[in-house]
Amino acid sequence: MAAQREHFGGRFTAILALAGSAIGLGNIWRFPYMVGQTGGAAFIIIYLAACLLLSLPIFLAEAIVGHNTHSGTYGAMEKLAPGTKWKWLGLLTVVTPLVILSYYSVVGGWSIGYLWQSFTAGFRDNEIGAVSSAYANFIAAPWRPLLFHTLFLLGCAVIVSAGVKSGIEKFNKITMPLLFVLIVVIMVYSLSLPGSAAGVAYLLKPDFSRITPSAIAAAMGQSFFSLSLGAGTILTYASYIRKDENILATGLGTVAFDLLFALIAGFAIMPAVFAAGIEPGAGPGLIFETLPFIFAKMGAAVPWVSSVVAVLFFVTIVAAALTSAISMYEVGVAFLVEQRGLSRHKAVVLIFLGTWTLGALCSLSFGPLADTKIFGQTIFGFCDLLTSNFLMTFGGLLFVLFVGWKMPKAVVRDEFTAGGTEPFNKAIFGAFWFLLRYVAPIAIVVIFITNFLA
Ligand code: TRP
């Protein structure tokens, strides 16, 4: 057992760390596209409702388990439901973030590779076909992506081994404000490009006819993913929040930052995409093909501006990915330290070895291991699908059921008084309790089925 547990310094630093986990590739490569494709401003309203009515209660449920027990995922279940099958939820949520970390680190590595390129050769391919094949060649060539994957994971290891306060908290305290500054700078630049107005229209033009049941399920799924729910990371970070902190305020702050960042990212990316006269897309293609193409086009006019913007952009991606990755890393470290009595450094090394190996297999699955298929998916694709579509949703569902139906109501209620230091608000708790017990489980099952059919 860890003798002395570390804590985040205060509410704001806790929010920064949680927002660090939440804000990541999901905000940059998926949200803007979904908004544009699914009804613009109309979708944003639905998304906001999904965040507040669904994801916030799930976030709070997960956070309450960590905050109440001041333990990592497994220890929390052992404390609240000793000797029961709930320990499997504790174990599941150790495994889920580590699998995510393994392939997330591969994409983090690509971003380092592209950052390196924006410093050195820059982006010159003026033709989208050439950009696409450069990307395909880069990720397939075995050694370079492996090297960058190693670098990315080493970066995580260094930060996490420095501890919760001097590592994770400090890194987020510096990086998160920087991330917001960077994305705003990129947005201002992007909006200044001729032809950018079409990108703004793409994001804002309300089209209520696109708000179909499947669009609503997509909004729920996106807010679930974007807030890193169901993976034990929210639980683990919340276990480092002081007893007398207000969990509801922390949750609201995190949701607000996550949403704000996603919106700014949309206005940073889509106007540039439209100014360059290309079709928007989502996923890795947006970051590693569309944008390098835009940088090359811009570079033809004013080379140095394009290089600067490319560097800023890939710094943003790498930093956003790092702040998410360390939150996954910490879940495994907390488990090994608390449950297995390992020193922090030993735990960091073990997690490194495990996730590096699985990540290396994911990385190689774009090249030499491309023909190794699991359920028809490459190793990378399988890890992604397994976690995003199944393990996270399943973990989220179990947390919701645990807090809503198994934990004593009085204990949950107590979490709404900041350890007894603030008055209890019956209406807010009542709304939370209803959403948690009835709305969230049904909604998660809907997301689950939608994912399954997709
Ligand atoms: N929320 C992160 C993003 O938007 C991705 C993510 C999904 C995640 N699940 C997670 C991060 C679990 C940490 C832990 O990119």
Side-chain angles (χ1 to χ4, degrees), residues 180-195:
F180 272 91
V181 172
L182 284 172
I183 200 78
V184 168
V185 170
I186 300 172
M187 176 183 78
V188 170
Y189 172 75
S190 183
L191 289 172
S192 75
L193 294 171

Side-chain angles (χ1 to χ4, degrees), residues 359-385:
L361 293 174
C362 290
S363 180
L364 292 172
S365 76
F366 291 98
L369 296 181
D371 293 330
T372 309
K373 294 281 166 70
I374 312 172
F375 294 113
Q377 301 279 336
T378 63
I379 301 170
F380 183 103
F382 177 73
C383 290
D384 178 12
L385 202 72

Side-chain angles (χ1 to χ4, degrees), residues 18-30 62 96-97 100-101 103-104 222-234 258 320-321 323-329 331 387-388 392:
L18 284 160
S21 172
I23 294 172
L25 299 172
N27 302 57
I28 299 172
W29 82 11
R30 202 145 152 250
E62 209 181 312
T96 306
I100 303 177
L101 176 60
Y103 70 81
Y104 208 82
Q222 170 68 14
S223 80
F224 193 100
F225 181 83
S226 190
L227 285 165
S228 319
L229 302 178
T233 47
I234 302 302
D258 187 55
T323 55
S324 295
I326 56 175
S327 75
M328 311 175 205
Y329 209 123
V331 177
T387 49
S388 324
M392 283 179 70

Side-chain angles (χ1 to χ4, degrees), residues 272-332:
V273 169
F274 279 85
I278 44 188
E279 278 296 302
L286 176 67
I287 292 181
F288 301 109
E289 296 171 72
T290 309
L291 289 159
F293 172 69
I294 295 174
F295 297 141
K297 269 192 97 163
M298 282 165 25
V302 207
W304 72 269
V305 175
S306 147
S307 304
V308 170
V309 178
V311 168
L312 293 183
F313 181 75
F314 284 109
V315 167
T316 307
I317 300 277
V318 172
L322 270 176
T323 55
S324 295
I326 56 175
S327 75
M328 311 175 205
Y329 209 123
E330 177 62 22
V331 177

Side-chain angles (χ1 to χ4, degrees), residues 430-442:
F432 162 75
W433 195 240
F434 174 75
L435 291 170
L436 182 73
R437 286 173 67 123
Y438 303 103
V439 179
I442 296 171

